[in-house]
Amino acid sequence: MQDNIINNKLNLFIKNYEKTKEIKGAWQMGMMQYSCVLSSTIKNKNINPIKVEESIDIIKTNIGIFSNFRGNSLFYLANLLSNKTNRENEFKSILNIYNKLKENKFTNDSYLPFLAIIIHENQEKMDINTSIEKTKYVYEYMKNHHPWITSSDDYCRAALIAINSKDIDNDLEYIERSYNELNSKGFYKSNNLQSLSHIMALDKNKSEEKLDKVIRIKELLEKQKCKIDGYGYPLIGVLSLIDCDENQLVKQIRDVSDKLSEVKGFGNWSLGKTNRNMISASIVASAYAEYLNEESNIDSISSNILLEIIIAIEIATMVAIIAASSTASASN
C-alpha cells in the first residue's frame, strides 16, 4: 500500500515540477522551485500556474520594492495562496503577522516571511499573539544555550515546537539532551545537529530508542549510497519518528531517488545527489505519514503526531533548500 502512495506522490511531484516551468519568471525560483513543488505534493495539490501568477501580483501589489517577500518566499507563498479562496485577505493576514514579528524584535531577513506563514497557517491550533510569544520564548532558549549557532534559520523550527508542544520546558530540555546524546553517538556539534535535535521534540515518548534509530537510519542511508547529511539532518529526525521497517524505508528512498535521477532537472549535475536524496526522503516520509494517518485503528494522539510530522517534513525541507540555495549562491 505504501508503494502505491509513494508512486502516486512521485508522479505528482514530477507533474508539479513540469507545471512550475509554465509560471512567468520561474527561472528566478532557483532551488525554491523544488520546495514549492514538494509543498504542493505533500498536500496532494496540483500546481496551477495561472493562479500562482495571480498570487504573485497580489503579493507585489501589497509590498514595497525592497520587501523580504520578494525574496526566497515569493514563489513559495504565491503557490500557497493559489489554493486559497480569498488570496488578498490571506496575504494581508500574513503581512500583519510579519509586522508583529518585527515589532517583537525578530530579525527582519529572508526567514521572517516563512515564520509569518507558519504562524498564519496554524491559527486554528494557536492564536497569533500566543504563537509569537511562545516562538520567541523557544528561540531565546535556543539562543541562550547555543549562542554561536542559533540564528534566524531556526525561527521556523522554533515555531513548530512552540505551536505543537504540550509542555514547552520539558520539550526544550529534551532537545538539549538529544543534542548531547547524538553528539556522543558521532554527530559533530553544529547548527545541523541542533536542527536535528529540534525535530526530536516531536517524539512523543522522548526515548533513547528514537535517538538510536536516528543513527541506524543515517548509517542505512549511507550503506545504500543515499546519503543525507548537513542541512538535511532534520529529515533523518523526521524519518526516525515514523513507525515502520527501517530497511524497507531506506530502500524506498533510494528507489525514488534513482527514479528521479532519470528525470530532467534532477540529475547529479542539475540538482545534485544529496539534494535529490533529501527530496526523495521527504516524498517517502509524507507517503508513510499519509498512509498511517488513514489507518482506521490509529488513535487520535498518534494521528496528531503524524500531522505534525507532515508539517515537520515541509519545514525541514524548506529550510534545508534555503540553506542549499544560500550555499550555492555563496560559491558562485
Side-chain angles (χ1 to χ4, degrees):
M1 181 63 72
Q2 295 100 323
D3 286 335
N4 288 335
I5 298 175
I6 290 169
N7 286 330
N8 288 340
K9 282 195 177 289
L10 176 58
N11 290 334
L12 178 59
F13 181 84
I14 294 169
K15 177 184 175 183
N16 278 334
Y17 174 73
E18 293 300 323
K19 279 291 180 182
T20 60
K21 295 178 182 179
E22 299 175 20
I23 300 170
K24 184 179 178 181
W27 61 271
Q28 300 174 61
M29 290 190 202
M31 287 290 291
M32 285 308 298
Q33 180 178 10
Y34 301 101
S35 186
C36 292
V37 173
L38 190 61
S39 175
S40 291
T41 303
I42 287 173
K43 299 165 187 169
N44 294 317
K45 300 285 188 182
N46 287 289
I47 288 178
N48 185 321
I50 294 174
K51 287 187 176 182
V52 172
E53 289 177 3
E54 290 172 351
S55 299
I56 290 172
D57 290 339
I58 289 170
I59 295 169
K60 288 184 174 181
T61 299
N62 286 278
I63 59 173
I65 193 169
F66 297 112
S67 171
N68 282 319
F69 282 98
R70 291 181 180 269
N72 286 327
S73 65
L74 178 60
F75 289 95
Y76 180 89
L77 177 54
N79 185 43
L80 177 70
L81 292 175
S82 70
N83 293 300
K84 305 290 187 181
T85 303
N86 194 326
R87 286 173 275 174
E88 185 154 14
N89 282 351
E90 294 274 354
F91 176 63
K92 286 181 177 178
S93 172
I94 292 168
L95 192 58
N96 177 57
I97 295 169
Y98 174 82
N99 289 326
K100 284 188 175 185
L101 289 166
K102 288 194 294 181
E103 290 170 6
N104 280 270
K105 309 302 182 185
F106 284 84
T107 302
N108 184 18
D109 64 8
S110 61
Y111 286 99
L112 200 60
F114 291 104
L115 176 55
I117 292 166
I118 291 168
I119 291 173
H120 171 80
E121 288 294 285
N122 285 278
Q123 288 182 77
E124 291 185 3
K125 284 187 176 182
M126 185 177 289
D127 69 86
I128 292 169
N129 290 332
T130 304
S131 290
I132 292 173
E133 179 184 343
K134 289 192 173 184
T135 298
K136 189 171 185 179
Y137 178 83
V138 172
Y139 179 77
E140 287 179 348
Y141 181 98
M142 295 172 177
K143 190 74 172 176
N144 288 336
H145 284 76
H146 301 278
W148 302 112
I149 59 176
T150 303
S151 62
S152 56
D153 67 342
D154 295 299
Y155 282 164
C156 293
R157 287 182 296 271
L160 176 69
I161 296 163
I163 292 167
N164 292 290
S165 176
K166 302 298 185 290
D167 186 339
I168 286 183
D169 289 327
N170 183 56
D171 284 349
L172 290 174
E173 288 176 9
Y174 180 68
I175 286 170
E176 286 306 304
R177 290 204 306 275
S178 298
Y179 182 89
N180 292 322
E181 282 291 323
L182 290 168
N183 172 237
S184 71
K185 295 175 187 291
F187 282 86
Y188 292 110
K189 290 185 175 181
S190 64
N191 187 47
N192 295 325
L193 175 56
Q194 185 187 26
S195 301
L196 168 58
S197 68
H198 294 164
I199 296 298
M200 301 317 297
L202 295 179
D203 176 16
K204 62 180 180 179
N205 297 317
K206 306 293 186 286
S207 64
E208 180 84 13
E209 193 280 328
K210 280 292 191 293
L211 300 180
D212 290 335
K213 190 175 178 180
V214 168
I215 303 298
R216 292 197 303 271
I217 291 175
K218 181 176 182 290
E219 292 175 348
L220 283 170
L221 286 164
E222 290 170 357
K223 286 179 182 177
Q224 289 284 353
K225 297 182 179 178
C226 196
K227 187 176 181 181
I228 296 175
D229 59 10
Y231 46 76
Y233 279 169
L235 278 168
I236 300 178
V238 171
L239 295 172
S240 75
L241 299 175
I242 299 172
D243 186 16
C244 63
D245 181 277
E246 295 159 25
N247 287 286
Q248 181 184 20
L249 174 72
V250 171
K251 181 181 180 300
Q252 288 166 323
I253 292 171
R254 186 202 65 195
D255 289 345
V256 170
S257 184
D258 288 346
K259 288 176 183 176
L260 270 180
S261 69
E262 298 173 1
V263 178
K264 186 177 180 181
F266 294 92
N268 290 346
W269 289 105
S270 52
L271 177 61
K273 189 173 183 179
T274 299
N275 290 328
R276 187 176 66 246
N277 292 341
M278 183 175 67
I279 289 170
S280 301
S282 300
I283 291 171
V284 173
S286 65
Y288 265 90
E290 183 177 309
Y291 169 73
L292 293 170
N293 197 46
E294 290 173 353
E295 286 289 273
S296 59
N297 63 346
I298 199 166
D299 59 63
S300 59
I301 296 175
S302 296
S303 177
N304 287 335
I305 291 294
L306 288 165
L307 291 172
E308 290 167 14
I309 289 172
I310 291 172
I311 296 168
I313 293 166
E314 184 171 3
I315 291 174
T317 312
M318 176 181 68
V319 175
I321 285 175
I322 295 172
S325 180
S326 299
T327 300
S329 298
S331 64
N332 290 335

